[in-house]
Structures are given as structure tokens and as C-alpha cells.
Amino acid sequence: MIGDQLQKAIYAALTAAPALVDGKVYDTVPTDAIAPYIHIGNEQVLDDSDDCAEGWEVITDIHIWSDPDTGSKLEVKTIGAAVVQRLLQIVAIDGFRVVIAAIENVRYLDDPNGVSKHGIVTSRHVLEPA
């Protein structure tokens, strides 16, 4: 069964030099976090085994937060594009082989507070034991 290996790989990909958002990538966002930052959010693990091999499909939401002075979504979209590139480059995970690395959905939203911009990148990784 897959444990925390994919989350660790995502964190490593997002914080590899040069680290996105100055390395402000969180599992649990501190109350004093200053935007922009990235939050590794919810994850869903689905059994993708067949008669021949074990496998798992893992869907992960990556949240991007920005508080631009201009009111533009440009910053959150720029960070989102970089997140997409990094997630697609995950080809090996401790103890697993990445069969598929894909982006399922990318959304950019205005936060109800009227200032913050929110990006959500939903990735899909299909994994098999190495």
C-alpha cells in the first residue's frame, strides 16, 4: 500500500532548487503564513490493482495562495504553471514506479475576501511497486 511516499516526492519537487514560493510549501499551513505559498492538500488513493500486479491511483490537490497588490491572477497562474511542470517531472518515488503522471484539472479562483487569489492543481499519479 502507498503511504506518505508521494507526498514526500511532491514536497521535494516543489522545494527543489530553485524552490517555488521561496520554499513556503506546507502540509499544514501556519496561521502566520504570508502569501504566496503552496499547500499540499487533500489526497485520494484508489486501488488500481489487477490480476498481475498491485497498483494505486493517487489524486492530489495542490493549493496555491496569492495576495497580489494589483488584484490580478497573474502571480497565482505563474506559480500554478510551475507547479504543473514540477508534478509532471515526478517519475520515481521511494519503493514505487510512476506509471502515469498527469494533471487532471487546474482552476484559478477569486477568494471571497476580495483580495486573495487561489489556484488548485489536481494531479493524478498511478503507481506500482518497484
Side-chain angles (χ1 to χ4, degrees), residues 8-24:
K8 287 178 179 178
I10 289 171
Y11 180 83
L14 299 178
T15 58
L20 299 182
V21 297
D22 296 324
K24 295 183 289 182

Side-chain angles (χ1 to χ4, degrees), residues 73-121:
K73 289 187 188 84
L74 182 59
E75 181 178 54
V76 77
K77 287 182 177 183
T78 300
I79 298 166
V83 167
V84 166
Q85 289 178 338
R86 303 267 180 118
L87 292 175
L88 292 176
Q89 292 174 358
I90 298 173
V91 294
I93 295 173
D94 187 32
F96 295 90
R97 183 171 66 86
V98 177
V99 179
I100 297 171
I103 301 301
E104 293 293 305
N105 193 335
V106 179
R107 294 167 287 171
Y108 298 107
L109 312 164
D110 290 316
D111 191 72
N113 70 12
V115 176
S116 300
K117 305 302 176 190
H118 183 190
I120 306 166
V121 177

